[in-house]
Amino acid sequence: MAGALTRYRVMAYVVGVMLLVLVFVAVPLRYAAGVPEVSAVVSPLHGFLYIVYLVAAFDLALKARFTAKGTVLVLLAGVVPFVSFWAERRVSLRVRAGQPL
């Protein structure tokens, strides 16, 4: 389970950073400055990485036996800025302690 947790933690941070870049850099550049190129690169990259995050989070959920509600909440954590960082910390602490999520 340690490998699944590590994969999840890495992807949570990567997706969180990419979402922040998308929301606070790419989208403002697109709509305020008229520079759509950054958004054209960051948007699909975030989408692809989010799918990898979903796979890593679902793998961890199966191995750590998350509840259905806990699984859905962890899967959705990658779509709200800053939430993936909070969720990663909470999930890591609970999985290491052997507590259900």
Side-chain angles (χ1 to χ4, degrees):
M1 186 168 0
L5 180 59
T6 300
R7 287 187 295 275
Y8 165 74
R9 291 187 72 203
V10 167
M11 288 313 303
Y13 276 104
V14 169
V15 166
V17 169
M18 288 303 298
L19 183 58
L20 292 176
V21 169
L22 178 64
V23 170
F24 294 111
V25 177
V27 171
L29 281 174
R30 178 182 199 110
Y31 293 108
V35 181
E37 293 82 14
V38 177
S39 179
V41 172
V42 174
S43 295
L45 185 58
H46 170 69
F48 173 76
L49 291 171
Y50 180 68
I51 291 170
V52 175
Y53 167 81
L54 291 176
V55 171
F58 193 71
D59 179 47
L60 179 63
L62 289 175
K63 290 179 179 171
R65 297 180 175 246
F66 290 1
T67 63
K69 179 183 173 185
T71 301
V72 169
L73 291 175
V74 169
L75 294 177
L76 290 175
V79 297
V80 180
F82 299 107
V83 174
S84 68
F85 304 115
W86 174 81
E88 180 276 325
R89 195 75 209 132
R90 182 171 179 233
V91 167
S92 294
L93 291 173
R94 291 187 141 210
V95 167
R96 286 184 180 141
Q99 297 175 340
L101 185 70

